[in-house]
């Protein structure tokens, strides 16, 4: 299989239209990249903890006793404890999923903006090199 003209084995721009390789640009924003990685880790950890807490809440609601021996008429009852634990646990479970997704997406947006800046700088260097 032959590659399209201007595209070598290295992918887009390996041969380039002008026959020269893409200019190497220095990575910038090292701290911002570190923050993005930490945000991804935080997304996974916080999401997992909230999902586990939701599951624990569902189980705790399911195992809620109908009443205590000292106060036989107190408490929400078996059905109330089950429904309360189930609803609260499901809400926390869904909240954990959304928090994880949004934190991870926020970190990805940071990478998108850094890539846009890098590609713009690379294009500028290519255009200045043609003159």
């Amino acid at each position: 299989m032959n590659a399209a003209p201007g595209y070598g084995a290295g992918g887009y721009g390996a041969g380039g239209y002008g026959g020269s390789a893409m200019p190497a640009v220095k990575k910038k924003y090292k701290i911002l990249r570190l923050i993005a990685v930490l945000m991804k880790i935080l997304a996974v950890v916080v999401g997992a903890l909230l999902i586990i807490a939701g599951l624990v809440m569902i189980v705790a609601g399911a195992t809620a006793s109908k009443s205590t021996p000292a106060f036989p008429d107190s408490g929400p009852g078996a059905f109330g404890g089950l429904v309360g634990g189930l609803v609260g646990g499901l809400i926390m479970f869904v909240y954990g999923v959304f928090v994880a997704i949004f934190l991870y997406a926020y970190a990805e947006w940071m990478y998108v903006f850094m890539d846009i800046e890098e590609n713009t700088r690379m294009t500028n260097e290519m255009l200045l090199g043609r003159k």
Side-chain angles (χ1 to χ4, degrees):
M1 182 189 303
N2 293 334
Y7 300 107
Y12 289 105
Y17 286 108
S20 62
M22 299 284 275
V25 292
K26 190 174 115 179
K27 295 277 186 188
K28 292 174 73 173
Y29 310 113
K30 291 179 182 162
I31 297 299
L32 199 56
R33 290 180 193 280
L34 175 67
I35 291 170
V37 168
L38 293 176
M39 287 288 287
K40 285 183 177 184
I41 294 169
L42 182 71
V44 172
V45 169
V46 168
L49 288 176
L50 286 172
I51 289 170
I52 290 170
L55 294 175
V56 167
M57 188 179 250
I58 290 171
V59 171
T63 59
S65 64
K66 183 175 181 178
S67 63
T68 60
F71 304 101
D73 292 332
S74 68
F79 185 70
L82 174 65
V83 171
L86 183 65
V87 170
L90 285 175
I91 289 172
M92 188 168 297
F93 185 85
V94 171
Y95 179 72
V97 169
F98 276 112
V99 165
I101 288 171
F102 284 117
L103 283 174
Y104 200 87
Y106 184 72
E108 286 293 322
W109 270 113
M110 293 169 74
Y111 279 116
V112 166
F113 287 125
M114 288 184 285
D115 287 344
I116 289 171
E117 184 276 333
E118 185 178 319
N119 290 338
T120 304
R121 194 164 25 101
M122 187 184 319
T123 302
N124 185 36
E125 288 182 15
M126 284 176 48
L127 290 174
L128 289 176
R130 266 192 209 171
K131 292 181 181 181

